[in-house]
Amino acid sequence: MPVLKKIALTITSAALLSGFILSPAVAADKDKSDDKQPKPPSTMSSLGGEQLGKAGTQVNLGAGAPVLPKKLSGRSWIVADAESGDVLAAHNAHWRLPPASTLKMLFADTVLPALQPTQTHTVSESELAGVGEGSSLVGIKEDHTYTVHDLWLGVFLRSGNDAVHVLSEMYGGLPQTVAAMQKHAEELQALDTVVVSPDGYDAPRQVSSAYDLTLIARSGMQKKDFREYAATASADFPGEKKKGKKRESFEIQNTNRLITGDIGVDPYQGIAGVKNGYTTHAGNTFTGVAERNGKVLLVTVMNPSAEESHAVYKEAAHLLDWGFSASGKVTPVGQLVPPKSLDTGISTGGKGAAPAADQGTGGQAKAAHASAASKGSSGVGVALAIIGGLLVVVAAGVFLVNRRWPVPGLGSRPAPEADGPEADGPEADAPEADAPEAKDSGATADAVPAAEPAAPAAEDAGKPADKS
């Protein structure tokens, strides 16, 4: 027995010793891996509130408030009340990161009012020549004619960069469109945003933030046609015209998985859009709006872990669930500010965004465009305005939401009276690719090129399918 005890003690000591030797190495490897992860800049804009300028998670839990969801991996995210503008919780809200196709929300909010939906356009070869390699496409053909309405369906449902380029040419050209988008972003006080490409395709210096994307979505949802396109689950898109035959059409589907669902992702009850995206540099991005029991929330998630399939949708859904449960039980950490042109006479209480070039992005593209800091409004005390129109939501049934927005005039710009797309199903902008990154470093992944008839989105097969 003494001999056996001695052997046992020897084995135990050896095991403990190897544990002591190996543990530091493992820890060092973990630290080394963590060091490679981009870090938020030490200085960020505090537009909307001082807490929003701080790095890390910001939340002020009150009595009975649920704790935030566990294992949130997004580099940046925000949950806000779409009506009051209260930011319920945020994580690196003003971190400037590549936006991918969520930037198409700004494109639509800028260009939609300028083009009549019944207007037709014959596409030239040059208009498609500038579409980035690996882009998501709806399947537009040169020398074929499309209505503006068709093209917007291609933008909202399939995140088609080809449709964005054609609409940009109709608007006056790519440079004019980019300039108009930048000007509109500054009007909305989306001062973290630098526009380089109208479609969100990866480009040097092009950045936005969870805070800005939420402001942009809030502005877009003021417009009836924007809401209707964003709530369209599927539609017929004009196909190729063959000589001597009637032009056929093929079905396109919205690829927002919180609307359509997918393996491992259920349609989110009350979801009403808005936009998702994916590029090599941006990872997955998503901004969504949902209604429950009369409460309307906005959520944005940027660049969550690529290790879990559909992480951007799952984390957005968890944050929405939390937001609906926490509403009225938390003290807001900030506010969504109104556009500059709306003089409410109320100060934000936070610093405006510094020039984009002055802030780092933790390894992400640096912004070179300088946006002047300006005073805005906290939104507190701004009278609620009733904006006409119904928001059509499809998820486990059809829900009609009476839209109420707190900022008078957000939807006051004239918009064309369009025969909006029928919203008979959930809306999904473009599948966020949770699959391997595109080989080309600039490839975006909002939607895979559409065949005629359109093939299922690549994400349906577990492959990347949202190339902004």
Side-chain angles (χ1 to χ4, degrees):
M1 284 298 291
V3 175
L4 292 175
K5 286 182 178 180
K6 186 175 182 180
I7 293 173
L9 287 171
T10 302
I11 294 174
T12 302
S13 299
L16 289 172
L17 180 60
S18 28
F20 288 133
I21 293 173
L22 292 176
S23 293
V26 172
D29 287 342
K30 183 178 185 300
D31 291 341
K32 185 176 180 181
S33 175
D34 289 344
D35 287 343
K36 292 181 180 179
Q37 295 300 314
K39 305 294 183 184
S42 57
T43 302
M44 293 184 284
S45 167
S46 59
L47 184 66
E50 292 294 339
Q51 274 191 268
L52 297 178
K54 297 179 180 179
T57 301
Q58 306 300 317
V59 64
N60 302 324
L61 298 177
V67 297
L68 283 164
K70 297 180 179 179
K71 297 181 180 179
L72 293 173
S73 64
R75 291 181 183 174
S76 175
W77 54 258
I78 192 170
V79 185
D81 187 307
E83 297 176 333
S84 69
D86 290 342
V87 177
L88 306 183
H91 180 77
N92 302 324
H94 281 289
W95 190 359
R96 290 167 170 152
L97 298 166
S101 278
T102 46
L103 194 65
K104 286 184 173 77
M105 296 187 297
L106 179 61
F107 170 73
D109 196 37
T110 302
V111 176
L112 257 172
L115 301 174
Q116 292 296 326
T118 56
Q119 183 179 345
T120 60
H121 180 76
T122 301
V123 177
S124 67
E125 181 180 1
S126 63
E127 291 171 339
L128 300 177
V131 177
E133 183 180 354
S135 285
S136 53
L137 305 172
V138 67
I140 291 172
K141 305 291 184 183
E142 62 183 81
D143 299 324
H144 284 57
T145 300
Y146 301 86
T147 64
V148 167
H149 175 74
D150 294 330
L151 296 172
W152 282 121
L153 288 172
V155 172
F156 277 87
L157 273 67
R158 297 300 303 176
S159 202
N161 289 4
D162 47 358
V164 170
H165 277 246
V166 174
L167 286 165
S168 295
E169 290 299 329
M170 295 179 69
Y171 187 75
L174 289 177
Q176 181 171 326
T177 302
V178 168
M181 289 172 64
Q182 189 67 62
K183 183 178 180 180
H184 186 45
E186 292 170 2
E187 156 63 17
L188 295 178
Q189 299 206 69
L191 303 180
D192 297 325
T193 299
V194 177
V195 184
V196 179
S197 64
D199 49 20
Y201 191 88
D202 278 336
R205 301 179 291 104
Q206 182 158 268
V207 290
S208 190
S209 67
Y211 184 85
D212 279 15
L213 292 173
T214 307
L215 284 183
I216 292 164
R218 192 183 189 212
S219 175
M221 294 299 288
Q222 304 296 322
K223 300 171 181 62
K224 181 177 182 290
D225 45 2
F226 187 107
R227 295 197 301 269
E228 290 177 341
Y229 283 121
T232 301
S234 63
D236 289 331
F237 193 82
E240 186 174 0
K241 177 70 171 70
K242 297 180 180 179
K243 189 175 181 180
K245 294 184 179 180
K246 182 181 177 182
R247 188 175 184 180
E248 297 181 350
S249 62
F250 57 94
E251 185 180 72
I252 58 175
Q253 292 186 339
N254 204 314
T255 51
N256 177 341
R257 296 310 180 211
L258 288 191
I259 291 174
T260 60
D262 198 359
I263 298 174
V265 180
D266 294 326
Y268 192 85
Q269 185 172 354
I271 194 70
V274 172
K275 190 73 187 76
N276 58 324
Y278 172 84
T279 67
T280 302
H281 294 299
N284 289 290
T285 59
F286 176 73
T287 297
V289 61
E291 182 272 347
R292 184 178 296 174
N293 299 325
K295 180 70 67 176
V296 183
L297 296 183
L298 284 160
V299 63
T300 295
V301 177
M302 301 185 75
N303 205 336
S305 170
E307 296 179 1
E308 182 179 6
S309 177
H310 301 316
V312 76
Y313 298 110
K314 293 175 181 178
E315 295 189 16
H318 292 327
L319 285 169
L320 284 170
D321 284 342
W322 175 85
F324 286 121
S325 298
S327 181
K329 301 174 184 177
V330 296
T331 301
V333 297
Q335 291 284 322
L336 298 178
V337 297
K340 289 181 180 179
S341 59
L342 296 178
D343 183 9
T344 62
I346 301 175
S347 172
T348 60
K351 296 181 295 181
D358 294 340
Q359 293 191 15
T361 57
Q364 300 298 323
K366 292 185 178 180
H369 179 87
S371 297
S374 68
K375 295 182 179 180
S377 166
S378 67
V380 178
V382 179
L384 290 179
I386 306 299
I387 304 297
L390 295 175
L391 180 62
V392 181
V393 185
V394 181
V398 178
F399 301 88
L400 299 180
V401 181
N402 289 310
R403 300 288 293 112
R404 291 186 301 125
W405 297 88
V407 184
L410 257 183
S412 61
R413 287 176 298 167
E417 289 297 323
D419 293 325
E422 292 180 3
D424 54 7
E427 186 82 28
D429 271 44
E432 301 294 354
D434 291 303
E437 294 181 343
K439 292 181 181 179
D440 181 76
S441 62
T444 61
D446 274 41
V448 291
E452 294 180 17
E459 196 180 42
D460 293 340
K463 299 178 181 179
D466 189 17
K467 300 189 177 181
S468 304

